[in-house]
Amino acid sequence: MLKKLLFFIVVLLLSTTILHAQNNKFTLRGEIKGMTSGHLLFGYTDNNEQYVQKNVPVKNGKFQLEGMISEPTNMSLRLDSTVRYMDDPNLTDFWIEASDMQLEIVVGKFKEFKLSGSKTNEEEQELNRQQAPIREEMRPLTEAYKAEKDHEKAAAIRDQFEPYNERMDVITDEFIKTHPDSYLSPYLMRFRLMSLPVGQVENAYNHWTERVKNSRSGKEIAEEIKKLKQGSPGSPATMFNRKDINDKMLNLEELKGKKYILLDFWASWCIPCRKGNPHLKELYKKYAPEGFEIVCIASDDTKPQAWRKAVEEDGIGNFRHVLSGIKRTAEGYDKSEDIGEWYGIHTLPTKILIDKNGIIIGRYGGGGEPQENLDQKLIEIFGK
């Protein structure tokens, strides 16, 4: 009896494993016009959470790719390894699922692909169709931006994107709100959380289904919510001890109980950041005698000389200055000591205002209030 029971359990486990594997398998069959032989380069995250790249042979204009994925996944497709820029006509990306799919592409027009068999990709295509008229309105600005070689002039053109981006963001936010069971929703939120209040991000997350919350992007959003909360009003400020621009130790804890502190997250290459420096100098002159300190945290870890030069050029040496703490590694970047990570910083400039008790009382910029609201807050605090 015991042997029969054990045999039954083994068979059940094997059947479950096989069924699970079948549910995770995808098959992508395709045709390409303008190419009869050679190879295509695909990239995606497999069911072991590993990013893989596969060179798939093309025979008589046809190709086939099979693999295993644990959830709907964004796949990149390039004509070959020399294609690297996002606007290259021989590069595109789309969503694959554990199903049988058909793909049609044309050399030189990869972004006009046709894919069937992926619900998630159909959702993204519908979202793109809704936003397409706005992108078409933006086209003259986009082309002018690409053609402009002067860094500051290009930044001025990019600023004009904002009204169009806001209109597209409304459409994106509506998709996220109305598709709580779509894997595309947390993927889109990864980009939207840069400018949304943490409450709005958390509200969207709470309405997602459990499978979406447990997706790769869903888990990333959960972690980002924690970081955003750490850097939002009401939370204790994360203290740090760093060597400053003058090789002296800056211990944030030592300022606690003595001063109101403004953490200014910026970079030497960030034009909006540097355009705001004259106003920061005015605020410092006005409030420093009342117990106000500005601590600038720069994302210039790989180019400290550019950081030092920007501080000198902008005349902000009387502020306190430290680098964010990002370290370059063989695998990419180590952000374990990145101050920006501790405060949930995604866009520059972002400013965090801390009271004398070490509690965050304001966030201005990415995920917070408009930058200009800082002035009113300081008036409330100092009475002038």
Side-chain angles (χ1 to χ4, degrees):
M1 183 68 182
L2 181 59
K3 289 183 178 180
K4 289 184 178 180
L5 180 60
L6 289 172
F7 176 76
F8 175 76
I9 292 173
V10 170
V11 171
L12 182 62
L13 289 172
L14 285 173
S15 300
T16 303
T17 301
I18 293 171
L19 180 62
H20 181 69
Q22 289 175 339
N23 290 338
N24 286 348
K25 182 181 177 181
F26 75 84
T27 301
L28 180 65
R29 298 179 177 88
E31 293 185 17
I32 179 169
K33 292 183 179 179
M35 180 178 178
T36 56
S37 62
H39 287 80
L40 294 172
L41 184 60
F42 292 83
Y44 65 96
T45 301
D46 66 13
N47 61 325
N48 294 316
E49 305 301 311
Q50 298 295 314
Y51 186 77
V52 296
Q53 288 190 322
K54 293 188 177 181
N55 270 304
V56 177
V58 174
K59 297 179 180 179
N60 298 319
K62 296 184 178 181
F63 57 89
Q64 180 171 320
L65 172 63
E66 295 182 347
M68 306 291 287
I69 53 175
S70 57
E71 61 183 55
T73 300
N74 191 259
M75 172 178 277
S76 67
L77 168 59
R78 291 183 280 170
L79 185 63
D80 55 52
S81 60
T82 64
V83 175
R84 297 180 180 179
Y85 298 103
M86 292 304 297
D87 58 353
D88 192 293
N90 287 313
L91 180 148
T92 193
D93 66 275
F94 44 83
W95 286 83
I96 61 170
E97 298 186 357
S99 63
D100 289 329
M101 296 167 288
Q102 295 286 339
L103 176 67
E104 296 178 19
I105 52 175
V106 178
V107 173
K109 297 181 179 180
F110 274 30
K111 289 176 175 56
E112 299 175 20
F113 69 88
K114 294 180 181 179
L115 177 68
S116 61
S118 171
K119 178 185 176 183
T120 307
N121 195 73
E122 291 171 4
E123 292 172 340
E124 184 178 54
Q125 291 291 298
E126 176 56 31
L127 179 64
N128 290 338
R129 279 191 287 271
Q130 292 178 33
Q131 295 175 331
I134 303 173
R135 288 197 178 92
E136 187 59 30
E137 289 179 46
M138 284 181 66
R139 186 187 294 274
L141 275 177
T142 304
E143 292 178 351
Y145 174 71
K146 289 179 180 178
E148 183 56 64
K149 303 302 180 183
D150 183 273
H151 187 54
E152 290 198 17
K153 290 181 180 179
I157 296 173
R158 189 174 61 242
D159 288 342
Q160 298 177 56
F161 290 176
E162 194 58 32
Y164 301 98
N165 288 333
E166 287 177 356
R167 288 163 58 194
M168 288 193 287
D169 288 341
V170 170
I171 297 172
T172 299
D173 292 344
E174 181 63 20
F175 178 95
I176 293 172
K177 180 181 177 181
T178 56
H179 292 75
D181 194 41
S182 172
Y183 285 86
L184 187 59
S185 291
Y187 178 82
L188 294 170
M189 183 58 81
R190 290 167 58 193
F191 305 97
R192 287 296 291 128
L193 62 80
M194 297 179 184
S195 54
L196 292 176
V198 63
Q200 188 172 336
V201 179
E202 187 171 30
N203 183 61
Y205 175 85
N206 290 336
H207 283 84
W208 293 338
T209 61
E210 287 303 311
R211 71 169 192 159
V212 170
K213 287 180 180 178
N214 288 318
S215 68
R216 282 189 297 275
S217 293
K219 291 176 181 178
E220 287 181 22
I221 297 303
E223 285 300 312
E224 291 301 333
I225 289 172
K226 292 178 184 178
K227 294 174 186 176
L228 283 169
K229 282 186 172 181
Q230 287 176 193
S232 295
S235 297
T238 301
M239 296 292 131
F240 56 85
N241 190 13
R242 289 287 168 85
K243 186 175 288 188
D244 70 11
I245 199 168
N246 298 313
D247 290 329
K248 296 180 180 180
M249 294 308 297
L250 168 63
N251 189 341
L252 204 65
E253 188 77 41
E254 292 178 355
L255 298 177
K256 190 175 174 181
K258 302 175 184 177
K259 296 184 178 184
Y260 283 86
I261 305 166
L262 183 69
L263 302 183
D264 178 32
F265 291 88
W266 75 301
S268 65
W269 44 262
C270 171
I271 291 177
C273 301
R274 298 186 65 177
K275 282 185 176 179
N277 280 337
H279 186 59
L280 275 185
K281 289 163 70 174
E282 292 175 5
L283 294 178
Y284 187 78
K285 181 179 179 180
K286 184 177 181 180
Y287 296 116
E290 309 296 325
F292 178 64
E293 185 63 82
I294 297 178
V295 177
C296 299
I297 302 163
S299 296
D300 285 292
D301 297 84
T302 60
K303 296 183 178 179
Q305 291 307 315
W307 167 53
R308 295 177 183 278
K309 182 180 178 182
V311 170
E312 182 179 354
E313 287 180 346
D314 293 2
I316 53 175
N318 52 340
F319 303 164
R320 304 299 299 272
H321 293 273
V322 297
L323 290 170
S324 189
I326 303 173
K327 297 177 182 177
R328 180 174 286 176
T329 67
E331 292 76 30
Y333 291 94
D334 176 4
K335 294 186 177 183
S336 59
E337 294 298 317
D338 178 14
I339 300 171
E341 282 286 296
W342 303 340
Y343 284 88
I345 304 300
H346 293 284
T347 58
L348 303 177
T350 296
K351 297 174 176 62
I352 306 290
L353 184 61
I354 304 168
D355 70 9
K356 290 184 178 181
N357 296 315
I359 303 299
I360 296 172
I361 56 173
R363 183 184 180 104
Y364 308 94
E369 302 176 57
Q371 297 276 354
E372 53 267 24
N373 287 16
L374 170 62
D375 289 33
Q376 185 57 43
K377 187 68 174 181
L378 292 176
I379 291 172
E380 292 174 11
I381 293 169
F382 296 108
K384 64 176 184 178

